[in-house]
Amino acid sequence: MFIRHAGKTKILWFEGDTAREVRNGSLVGFSDSATVVPLRNDSTDVPIGVARRNDTTTDSADVPVEVPVEDWVEWEVDTDSDGGLVDSDIGQNVAIDTTGGASVNAGDSAATRIDRDDVTFPTVRIVDRLSATRAIVVLVKRASTLIPDTGSIT
């Protein structure tokens, strides 16, 4: 589960998705339909923030998302169970963990953890190691980051 450690954030409300569930504490982005979905660890992932409640496919309410309002907001997060963090992981860009799928079930990650062994689609940078299973991270890219000279949003 992503928990704000330091930095400024605010809560914004976005439409939930009727096909994909969102889990409290998961890193979320927008679907092609502009609804909130957990990140899938692919090249199109652009995080907007962290979901602050579970949202199933039958919910009709908007989803509260904690959105960073400045660069370098730090998040405390668990790692996956594949391997423990070591000091040399600090500074590494890694992907989010999607093991088990994207439901709100306890066994599914649903983008609530990081995968220290996966650097294919980096989403977060490890900035501190709290333990072998817990890290402080910052978002490498986010939806509100403007690309200089293009006016595009990454």
Side-chain angles (χ1 to χ4, degrees):
M1 167 181 243
F2 281 78
I3 300 170
R4 184 174 49 87
H5 179 74
K8 294 180 182 178
T9 62
K10 67 179 176 179
I11 299 292
L12 297 178
W13 295 78
F14 298 101
E15 182 181 355
D17 195 83
T18 57
R20 296 184 60 204
E21 297 178 336
V22 171
R23 189 166 169 192
N24 183 26
S26 64
L27 197 56
V28 296
F30 289 122
S31 69
D32 292 339
S33 304
T35 57
V36 172
V37 293
L39 299 186
R40 296 184 300 193
N41 194 13
D42 64 28
S43 62
T44 62
D45 281 351
V46 180
I48 57 171
V50 177
R52 284 297 160 225
R53 75 166 172 81
N54 288 343
D55 183 66
T56 64
T57 56
T58 58
D59 290 340
S60 59
D62 288 346
V63 178
V65 177
E66 187 174 5
V67 178
V69 296
E70 63 186 12
D71 291 332
W72 298 96
V73 171
E74 296 179 348
W75 304 91
E76 189 173 327
V77 64
D78 291 325
T79 62
D80 64 358
S81 58
D82 296 341
L85 283 175
V86 294
D87 287 340
S88 61
D89 289 329
I90 295 173
Q92 180 173 317
N93 294 340
V94 298
I96 50 97
D97 182 45
T98 55
T99 302
S103 77
V104 297
N105 295 326
D108 293 349
S109 173
T112 60
R113 300 183 293 248
I114 60 170
D115 187 343
R116 68 169 290 272
D117 297 321
D118 186 352
V119 296
T120 307
F121 301 113
T123 305
V124 298
R125 175 173 291 142
I126 299 169
V127 295
D128 199 6
R129 174 186 173 272
L130 300 178
S131 70
T133 59
R134 197 110 178 115
I136 302 292
V137 301
V138 295
L139 299 180
V140 174
K141 59 182 180 178
R142 60 188 173 111
S144 60
T145 304
L146 192 64
I147 302 173
D149 301 324
T150 65
S152 299
I153 296 177
T154 65

